[in-house]
Amino acid sequence: MLARSSLAGADRRFVTELVYGTTRMKRACDHLVDRYLIGSADDQVRAALRLGAYQLVFLATPPHAAVDATVGAVTGGGRKVVNAVLRRVADGPVAYPDDATRLSYPDWLVERLCEALGPDRAIAALEAMNQPAITSAREDGYVQDPASQSVVDAVGAGPGELVVDLCAAPGGKATGLAATGATVVAGDRRLSRARLVVDNIERLQLDRRADAGGSGRVLPMVADGRRPALVPGVADRVLVDAPCSGFGSLRRRPDARWRIEPEAPERLSILQSELVDAAIELVRPGGVVVYSVCTFGTVEGRAVVDRALEGHDVELLDPPGPPWQIIDGMATLLPDRSDGMVLARLRKPPST
Ligand SMILES: C[S@@+](CC[C@H](N)C(=O)[O-])C[C@H]1O[C@@H](n2cnc3c(N)ncnc32)[C@H](O)[C@@H]1O
């Protein structure tokens, strides 16, 4: 709708903030509104009440502007309800029964993060992920979260090396790895996702840079990372930036907190282990496998690493230094200004 509208830049940003913010803070807004709502609200009235409450409480929009504009957007008999309830929200106290309502996450998600990080770090992380995302552009122009760049740095690739990125789309880390001078085979299971890697190679003019000796090449590939058509032992390094529940990147996807299923970690943990198994097979003796996910919790973190250590002849390398910290045996970046991530590096012993 935004693309088809004739709104100016500032208005577009305001609409985006309203839609993303209201989606994120839906639970908190519903709580503020429901204190004064008698009976049920249809979809239009509910959406207007959330939008109005979000402006009043989270954007500190002057009450007359927030209420009048929101009421003006409602058609039919709902206007009176929206007007009455929003006026009471504007005058009423802002109070919540618990952190999950205040921070607007499902209870199960708050509980899982508290288990994974401890309550203090979990609440700080949940608060941070309610702030708008920051982005920073790399030297080559690719817009990337700083946490992703920290994963690229932790891979430690260098000129002339062959790096396989088994879950590469859209290619942020793969193109970052190529910037070290390494050749990167960038696989993804879905063709539509692999096309995003191709688009990024073209947009960053990576082949031209590689011809000029300023970068390694990225070779896109559509392949299931559990069974890639690559010669075992061929890679100096393998990155498994695995599909995950995404508890560390909720800020970037405002609706994700309402969509992730509570069973996602258990379901994905099996796939994550299969990808790590394949990565260990691919790496040469002395080579390194890096496992990373943008989520928290033992099921997708330490448990995956422990299974790899039990099932293969690999050693766990020391974690990278700051900004990484160690939580539950995993190198961890907590979401603050950037996304949350966990990572582990496994090394195959050199051949004797
Ligand atoms: C966390 S994202 C990767 C982000 C990417 N490394 C980057 O930095 O831009 C995970 C990716 O894994 C892909 N994927 C899921 N299952 C896979 C599988 N079995 N084999 C390979 N890729 C898979 C998804 O399509 C998704 O693009």
Side-chain angles (χ1 to χ4, degrees), residues 142 144 148 165-174 187-190 193 223-226 239 241-243 271 275:
Y142 191 91
Q144 189 172 46
S148 291
D165 181 348
L166 281 180
C167 305
K173 298 186 188 74
D188 204 278
R189 192 159 94 119
R190 283 166 56 195
R193 303 271 305 160
D224 188 324
R226 294 170 288 187
L239 172 61
D241 188 36
L271 171 60
L275 288 163

PDB file of all heavy atoms in Angstrom, residues 142 144 148 165-174 187-190 193 223-226 239 241-243 271 275, ligand 1:
ATOM      1  N   TYR A 142      26.801  -2.833   1.338  1.00  0.00           N
ATOM      2  CA  TYR A 142      25.790  -3.792   1.811  1.00  0.00           C
ATOM      3  C   TYR A 142      25.331  -3.376   3.199  1.00  0.00           C
ATOM      4  O   TYR A 142      26.143  -3.106   4.085  1.00  0.00           O
ATOM      5  CB  TYR A 142      26.386  -5.203   1.854  1.00  0.00           C
ATOM      6  CG  TYR A 142      25.355  -6.289   2.081  1.00  0.00           C
ATOM      7  CD1 TYR A 142      24.729  -6.906   1.010  1.00  0.00           C
ATOM      8  CD2 TYR A 142      25.004  -6.695   3.373  1.00  0.00           C
ATOM      9  CE1 TYR A 142      23.784  -7.897   1.205  1.00  0.00           C
ATOM     10  CE2 TYR A 142      24.054  -7.687   3.575  1.00  0.00           C
ATOM     11  CZ  TYR A 142      23.456  -8.290   2.487  1.00  0.00           C
ATOM     12  OH  TYR A 142      22.517  -9.266   2.685  1.00  0.00           O
ATOM     13  N   GLN A 144      24.000  -4.145   6.660  1.00  0.00           N
ATOM     14  CA  GLN A 144      24.062  -5.355   7.461  1.00  0.00           C
ATOM     15  C   GLN A 144      24.021  -5.007   8.935  1.00  0.00           C
ATOM     16  O   GLN A 144      24.520  -3.970   9.354  1.00  0.00           O
ATOM     17  CB  GLN A 144      25.387  -6.067   7.142  1.00  0.00           C
ATOM     18  CG  GLN A 144      25.515  -7.440   7.730  1.00  0.00           C
ATOM     19  CD  GLN A 144      26.757  -8.152   7.219  1.00  0.00           C
ATOM     20  OE1 GLN A 144      27.844  -7.581   7.172  1.00  0.00           O
ATOM     21  NE2 GLN A 144      26.596  -9.385   6.818  1.00  0.00           N
ATOM     22  N   SER A 148      26.024  -9.546  12.431  1.00  0.00           N
ATOM     23  CA  SER A 148      26.372 -10.430  11.315  1.00  0.00           C
ATOM     24  C   SER A 148      27.826 -10.239  10.915  1.00  0.00           C
ATOM     25  O   SER A 148      28.521 -11.196  10.570  1.00  0.00           O
ATOM     26  CB  SER A 148      25.486 -10.136  10.105  1.00  0.00           C
ATOM     27  OG  SER A 148      24.179 -10.537  10.374  1.00  0.00           O
ATOM     28  N   ASP A 165      29.503 -21.683   2.642  1.00  0.00           N
ATOM     29  CA  ASP A 165      28.446 -21.125   3.485  1.00  0.00           C
ATOM     30  C   ASP A 165      27.194 -21.930   3.146  1.00  0.00           C
ATOM     31  O   ASP A 165      26.624 -21.772   2.075  1.00  0.00           O
ATOM     32  CB  ASP A 165      28.292 -19.632   3.137  1.00  0.00           C
ATOM     33  CG  ASP A 165      27.232 -18.939   3.968  1.00  0.00           C
ATOM     34  OD1 ASP A 165      26.462 -19.630   4.655  1.00  0.00           O
ATOM     35  OD2 ASP A 165      27.169 -17.694   3.905  1.00  0.00           O
ATOM     36  N   LEU A 166      26.803 -22.829   4.054  1.00  0.00           N
ATOM     37  CA  LEU A 166      25.764 -23.817   3.700  1.00  0.00           C
ATOM     38  C   LEU A 166      24.353 -23.241   3.700  1.00  0.00           C
ATOM     39  O   LEU A 166      23.461 -23.795   3.093  1.00  0.00           O
ATOM     40  CB  LEU A 166      25.822 -25.001   4.677  1.00  0.00           C
ATOM     41  CG  LEU A 166      26.927 -26.033   4.427  1.00  0.00           C
ATOM     42  CD1 LEU A 166      26.848 -27.139   5.469  1.00  0.00           C
ATOM     43  CD2 LEU A 166      26.845 -26.618   3.030  1.00  0.00           C
ATOM     44  N   CYS A 167      24.130 -22.147   4.451  1.00  0.00           N
ATOM     45  CA  CYS A 167      22.788 -21.519   4.525  1.00  0.00           C
ATOM     46  C   CYS A 167      22.992 -20.039   4.240  1.00  0.00           C
ATOM     47  O   CYS A 167      23.019 -19.218   5.152  1.00  0.00           O
ATOM     48  CB  CYS A 167      22.191 -21.712   5.909  1.00  0.00           C
ATOM     49  SG  CYS A 167      22.109 -23.421   6.418  1.00  0.00           S
ATOM     50  N   ALA A 168      23.154 -19.702   2.986  1.00  0.00           N
ATOM     51  CA  ALA A 168      23.788 -18.427   2.660  1.00  0.00           C
ATOM     52  C   ALA A 168      22.841 -17.275   2.355  1.00  0.00           C
ATOM     53  O   ALA A 168      23.230 -16.120   2.440  1.00  0.00           O
ATOM     54  CB  ALA A 168      24.732 -18.614   1.477  1.00  0.00           C
ATOM     55  N   ALA A 169      21.604 -17.562   1.949  1.00  0.00           N
ATOM     56  CA  ALA A 169      20.740 -16.477   1.467  1.00  0.00           C
ATOM     57  C   ALA A 169      20.283 -15.568   2.612  1.00  0.00           C
ATOM     58  O   ALA A 169      20.040 -16.063   3.700  1.00  0.00           O
ATOM     59  CB  ALA A 169      19.515 -17.074   0.787  1.00  0.00           C
ATOM     60  N   PRO A 170      20.203 -14.257   2.374  1.00  0.00           N
ATOM     61  CA  PRO A 170      20.397 -13.527   1.114  1.00  0.00           C
ATOM     62  C   PRO A 170      21.860 -13.221   0.762  1.00  0.00           C
ATOM     63  O   PRO A 170      22.109 -12.576  -0.249  1.00  0.00           O
ATOM     64  CB  PRO A 170      19.639 -12.221   1.380  1.00  0.00           C
ATOM     65  CG  PRO A 170      19.757 -12.004   2.857  1.00  0.00           C
ATOM     66  CD  PRO A 170      19.731 -13.383   3.465  1.00  0.00           C
ATOM     67  N   GLY A 171      22.800 -13.679   1.577  1.00  0.00           N
ATOM     68  CA  GLY A 171      24.189 -13.527   1.163  1.00  0.00           C
ATOM     69  C   GLY A 171      24.980 -12.489   1.922  1.00  0.00           C
ATOM     70  O   GLY A 171      26.096 -12.135   1.534  1.00  0.00           O
ATOM     71  N   GLY A 172      24.409 -11.978   3.019  1.00  0.00           N
ATOM     72  CA  GLY A 172      25.129 -10.961   3.795  1.00  0.00           C
ATOM     73  C   GLY A 172      26.480 -11.463   4.271  1.00  0.00           C
ATOM     74  O   GLY A 172      27.515 -10.818   4.042  1.00  0.00           O
ATOM     75  N   LYS A 173      26.469 -12.632   4.891  1.00  0.00           N
ATOM     76  CA  LYS A 173      27.735 -13.141   5.422  1.00  0.00           C
ATOM     77  C   LYS A 173      28.618 -13.657   4.294  1.00  0.00           C
ATOM     78  O   LYS A 173      29.833 -13.476   4.323  1.00  0.00           O
ATOM     79  CB  LYS A 173      27.469 -14.212   6.479  1.00  0.00           C
ATOM     80  CG  LYS A 173      26.703 -13.642   7.662  1.00  0.00           C
ATOM     81  CD  LYS A 173      26.533 -14.597   8.798  1.00  0.00           C
ATOM     82  CE  LYS A 173      25.602 -14.007   9.849  1.00  0.00           C
ATOM     83  NZ  LYS A 173      24.173 -14.003   9.436  1.00  0.00           N
ATOM     84  N   ALA A 174      28.022 -14.295   3.286  1.00  0.00           N
ATOM     85  CA  ALA A 174      28.817 -14.831   2.172  1.00  0.00           C
ATOM     86  C   ALA A 174      29.591 -13.715   1.473  1.00  0.00           C
ATOM     87  O   ALA A 174      30.791 -13.854   1.184  1.00  0.00           O
ATOM     88  CB  ALA A 174      27.911 -15.550   1.177  1.00  0.00           C
ATOM     89  N   GLY A 187      25.557 -21.718  -0.598  1.00  0.00           N
ATOM     90  CA  GLY A 187      24.419 -22.588  -0.874  1.00  0.00           C
ATOM     91  C   GLY A 187      23.175 -22.180  -0.101  1.00  0.00           C
ATOM     92  O   GLY A 187      23.256 -21.632   0.993  1.00  0.00           O
ATOM     93  N   ASP A 188      22.017 -22.428  -0.686  1.00  0.00           N
ATOM     94  CA  ASP A 188      20.754 -22.305   0.046  1.00  0.00           C
ATOM     95  C   ASP A 188      19.797 -23.311  -0.569  1.00  0.00           C
ATOM     96  O   ASP A 188      19.884 -23.628  -1.746  1.00  0.00           O
ATOM     97  CB  ASP A 188      20.177 -20.886  -0.036  1.00  0.00           C
ATOM     98  CG  ASP A 188      19.244 -20.594   1.139  1.00  0.00           C
ATOM     99  OD1 ASP A 188      18.062 -20.991   1.081  1.00  0.00           O
ATOM    100  OD2 ASP A 188      19.694 -19.970   2.128  1.00  0.00           O
ATOM    101  N   ARG A 189      18.888 -23.801   0.253  1.00  0.00           N
ATOM    102  CA  ARG A 189      18.011 -24.865  -0.210  1.00  0.00           C
ATOM    103  C   ARG A 189      16.956 -24.373  -1.179  1.00  0.00           C
ATOM    104  O   ARG A 189      16.487 -25.107  -2.018  1.00  0.00           O
ATOM    105  CB  ARG A 189      17.325 -25.496   0.994  1.00  0.00           C
ATOM    106  CG  ARG A 189      16.616 -26.777   0.674  1.00  0.00           C
ATOM    107  CD  ARG A 189      16.438 -27.556   1.941  1.00  0.00           C
ATOM    108  NE  ARG A 189      15.141 -27.257   2.510  1.00  0.00           N
ATOM    109  CZ  ARG A 189      14.206 -28.174   2.706  1.00  0.00           C
ATOM    110  NH1 ARG A 189      14.444 -29.424   2.384  1.00  0.00           N
ATOM    111  NH2 ARG A 189      13.071 -27.857   3.244  1.00  0.00           N
ATOM    112  N   ARG A 190      16.556 -23.120  -1.030  1.00  0.00           N
ATOM    113  CA  ARG A 190      15.455 -22.630  -1.858  1.00  0.00           C
ATOM    114  C   ARG A 190      15.971 -21.777  -3.007  1.00  0.00           C
ATOM    115  O   ARG A 190      16.752 -20.846  -2.796  1.00  0.00           O
ATOM    116  CB  ARG A 190      14.481 -21.832  -0.994  1.00  0.00           C
ATOM    117  CG  ARG A 190      13.604 -22.765  -0.175  1.00  0.00           C
ATOM    118  CD  ARG A 190      12.876 -22.042   0.913  1.00  0.00           C
ATOM    119  NE  ARG A 190      12.083 -20.931   0.392  1.00  0.00           N
ATOM    120  CZ  ARG A 190      11.588 -19.970   1.157  1.00  0.00           C
ATOM    121  NH1 ARG A 190      11.819 -19.983   2.462  1.00  0.00           N
ATOM    122  NH2 ARG A 190      10.878 -19.007   0.631  1.00  0.00           N
ATOM    123  N   ARG A 193      15.464 -18.081  -2.666  1.00  0.00           N
ATOM    124  CA  ARG A 193      16.409 -17.471  -1.723  1.00  0.00           C
ATOM    125  C   ARG A 193      17.795 -17.374  -2.382  1.00  0.00           C
ATOM    126  O   ARG A 193      18.482 -16.370  -2.227  1.00  0.00           O
ATOM    127  CB  ARG A 193      16.489 -18.286  -0.438  1.00  0.00           C
ATOM    128  CG  ARG A 193      15.174 -18.490   0.270  1.00  0.00           C
ATOM    129  CD  ARG A 193      14.843 -17.402   1.251  1.00  0.00           C
ATOM    130  NE  ARG A 193      15.856 -17.176   2.239  1.00  0.00           N
ATOM    131  CZ  ARG A 193      15.956 -16.042   2.952  1.00  0.00           C
ATOM    132  NH1 ARG A 193      15.093 -15.063   2.752  1.00  0.00           N
ATOM    133  NH2 ARG A 193      16.905 -15.889   3.844  1.00  0.00           N
ATOM    134  N   ALA A 223      21.238 -25.902  -2.978  1.00  0.00           N
ATOM    135  CA  ALA A 223      21.526 -27.232  -2.441  1.00  0.00           C
ATOM    136  C   ALA A 223      21.015 -27.344  -1.019  1.00  0.00           C
ATOM    137  O   ALA A 223      21.045 -26.371  -0.267  1.00  0.00           O
ATOM    138  CB  ALA A 223      23.042 -27.485  -2.458  1.00  0.00           C
ATOM    139  N   ASP A 224      20.549 -28.527  -0.681  1.00  0.00           N
ATOM    140  CA  ASP A 224      20.230 -28.812   0.706  1.00  0.00           C
ATOM    141  C   ASP A 224      21.565 -28.961   1.441  1.00  0.00           C
ATOM    142  O   ASP A 224      22.369 -29.832   1.093  1.00  0.00           O
ATOM    143  CB  ASP A 224      19.401 -30.100   0.787  1.00  0.00           C
ATOM    144  CG  ASP A 224      18.873 -30.331   2.192  1.00  0.00           C
ATOM    145  OD1 ASP A 224      19.588 -30.001   3.163  1.00  0.00           O
ATOM    146  OD2 ASP A 224      17.746 -30.828   2.317  1.00  0.00           O
ATOM    147  N   GLY A 225      21.786 -28.117   2.411  1.00  0.00           N
ATOM    148  CA  GLY A 225      23.064 -28.119   3.125  1.00  0.00           C
ATOM    149  C   GLY A 225      23.369 -29.424   3.836  1.00  0.00           C
ATOM    150  O   GLY A 225      24.503 -29.676   4.216  1.00  0.00           O
ATOM    151  N   ARG A 226      22.350 -30.270   3.991  1.00  0.00           N
ATOM    152  CA  ARG A 226      22.603 -31.562   4.634  1.00  0.00           C
ATOM    153  C   ARG A 226      23.237 -32.548   3.667  1.00  0.00           C
ATOM    154  O   ARG A 226      23.832 -33.537   4.079  1.00  0.00           O
ATOM    155  CB  ARG A 226      21.279 -32.146   5.166  1.00  0.00           C
ATOM    156  CG  ARG A 226      20.699 -31.315   6.274  1.00  0.00           C
ATOM    157  CD  ARG A 226      19.297 -31.748   6.625  1.00  0.00           C
ATOM    158  NE  ARG A 226      18.347 -31.370   5.575  1.00  0.00           N
ATOM    159  CZ  ARG A 226      17.032 -31.513   5.682  1.00  0.00           C
ATOM    160  NH1 ARG A 226      16.529 -32.021   6.783  1.00  0.00           N
ATOM    161  NH2 ARG A 226      16.234 -31.137   4.705  1.00  0.00           N
ATOM    162  N   LEU A 239      30.739 -22.332   7.109  1.00  0.00           N
ATOM    163  CA  LEU A 239      29.827 -21.583   7.976  1.00  0.00           C
ATOM    164  C   LEU A 239      28.444 -22.220   7.902  1.00  0.00           C
ATOM    165  O   LEU A 239      27.916 -22.443   6.816  1.00  0.00           O
ATOM    166  CB  LEU A 239      29.742 -20.114   7.527  1.00  0.00           C
ATOM    167  CG  LEU A 239      28.677 -19.251   8.239  1.00  0.00           C
ATOM    168  CD1 LEU A 239      28.940 -19.162   9.745  1.00  0.00           C
ATOM    169  CD2 LEU A 239      28.639 -17.839   7.627  1.00  0.00           C
ATOM    170  N   ASP A 241      25.159 -20.968   9.145  1.00  0.00           N
ATOM    171  CA  ASP A 241      24.361 -19.887   9.740  1.00  0.00           C
ATOM    172  C   ASP A 241      22.905 -20.364   9.646  1.00  0.00           C
ATOM    173  O   ASP A 241      22.166 -19.952   8.768  1.00  0.00           O
ATOM    174  CB  ASP A 241      24.600 -18.597   8.948  1.00  0.00           C
ATOM    175  CG  ASP A 241      23.975 -17.383   9.610  1.00  0.00           C
ATOM    176  OD1 ASP A 241      23.972 -17.321  10.851  1.00  0.00           O
ATOM    177  OD2 ASP A 241      23.491 -16.501   8.879  1.00  0.00           O
ATOM    178  N   ALA A 242      22.556 -21.219  10.565  1.00  0.00           N
ATOM    179  CA  ALA A 242      21.416 -22.114  10.375  1.00  0.00           C
ATOM    180  C   ALA A 242      20.064 -21.418  10.526  1.00  0.00           C
ATOM    181  O   ALA A 242      19.943 -20.422  11.242  1.00  0.00           O
ATOM    182  CB  ALA A 242      21.517 -23.250  11.385  1.00  0.00           C
ATOM    183  N   PRO A 243      19.028 -21.989   9.869  1.00  0.00           N
ATOM    184  CA  PRO A 243      17.666 -21.534  10.155  1.00  0.00           C
ATOM    185  C   PRO A 243      17.383 -21.768  11.633  1.00  0.00           C
ATOM    186  O   PRO A 243      17.801 -22.793  12.183  1.00  0.00           O
ATOM    187  CB  PRO A 243      16.783 -22.436   9.288  1.00  0.00           C
ATOM    188  CG  PRO A 243      17.654 -23.445   8.660  1.00  0.00           C
ATOM    189  CD  PRO A 243      19.078 -23.124   8.934  1.00  0.00           C
ATOM    190  N   LEU A 271      17.459 -30.293  12.456  1.00  0.00           N
ATOM    191  CA  LEU A 271      18.000 -29.794  11.186  1.00  0.00           C
ATOM    192  C   LEU A 271      19.373 -29.148  11.414  1.00  0.00           C
ATOM    193  O   LEU A 271      20.317 -29.353  10.640  1.00  0.00           O
ATOM    194  CB  LEU A 271      17.014 -28.781  10.581  1.00  0.00           C
ATOM    195  CG  LEU A 271      17.461 -27.971   9.372  1.00  0.00           C
ATOM    196  CD1 LEU A 271      17.806 -28.875   8.194  1.00  0.00           C
ATOM    197  CD2 LEU A 271      16.371 -26.972   8.954  1.00  0.00           C
ATOM    198  N   LEU A 275      22.915 -30.203   9.645  1.00  0.00           N
ATOM    199  CA  LEU A 275      23.740 -29.263   8.872  1.00  0.00           C
ATOM    200  C   LEU A 275      25.172 -29.233   9.414  1.00  0.00           C
ATOM    201  O   LEU A 275      26.130 -29.202   8.637  1.00  0.00           O
ATOM    202  CB  LEU A 275      23.114 -27.864   8.914  1.00  0.00           C
ATOM    203  CG  LEU A 275      21.827 -27.695   8.086  1.00  0.00           C
ATOM    204  CD1 LEU A 275      21.058 -26.444   8.507  1.00  0.00           C
ATOM    205  CD2 LEU A 275      22.152 -27.631   6.591  1.00  0.00           C
TER     206      LEU A 275
HETATM  207  C1  LIG B   1      19.628 -17.462   8.931  1.00  0.00           C
HETATM  208  S1  LIG B   1      19.280 -17.574   7.238  1.00  0.00           S
HETATM  209  C2  LIG B   1      20.875 -17.299   6.532  1.00  0.00           C
HETATM  210  C3  LIG B   1      21.328 -15.849   6.484  1.00  0.00           C
HETATM  211  C4  LIG B   1      22.591 -15.654   5.670  1.00  0.00           C
HETATM  212  N1  LIG B   1      23.679 -16.474   6.178  1.00  0.00           N
HETATM  213  C5  LIG B   1      23.070 -14.208   5.629  1.00  0.00           C
HETATM  214  O1  LIG B   1      23.938 -13.832   6.400  1.00  0.00           O
HETATM  215  O2  LIG B   1      22.554 -13.450   4.790  1.00  0.00           O
HETATM  216  C6  LIG B   1      19.046 -19.292   7.017  1.00  0.00           C
HETATM  217  C7  LIG B   1      18.902 -19.750   5.566  1.00  0.00           C
HETATM  218  O3  LIG B   1      18.938 -21.185   5.563  1.00  0.00           O
HETATM  219  C8  LIG B   1      18.169 -21.635   4.468  1.00  0.00           C
HETATM  220  N2  LIG B   1      17.902 -23.072   4.690  1.00  0.00           N
HETATM  221  C9  LIG B   1      16.914 -23.667   5.382  1.00  0.00           C
HETATM  222  N3  LIG B   1      17.055 -25.003   5.361  1.00  0.00           N
HETATM  223  C10 LIG B   1      18.172 -25.276   4.645  1.00  0.00           C
HETATM  224  C11 LIG B   1      18.843 -26.451   4.258  1.00  0.00           C
HETATM  225  N4  LIG B   1      18.406 -27.673   4.606  1.00  0.00           N
HETATM  226  N5  LIG B   1      19.968 -26.340   3.491  1.00  0.00           N
HETATM  227  C12 LIG B   1      20.426 -25.124   3.116  1.00  0.00           C
HETATM  228  N6  LIG B   1      19.826 -23.974   3.462  1.00  0.00           N
HETATM  229  C13 LIG B   1      18.708 -24.038   4.213  1.00  0.00           C
HETATM  230  C14 LIG B   1      16.976 -20.729   4.457  1.00  0.00           C
HETATM  231  O4  LIG B   1      16.399 -20.690   3.159  1.00  0.00           O
HETATM  232  C15 LIG B   1      17.604 -19.381   4.865  1.00  0.00           C
HETATM  233  O5  LIG B   1      17.902 -18.620   3.732  1.00  0.00           O
END
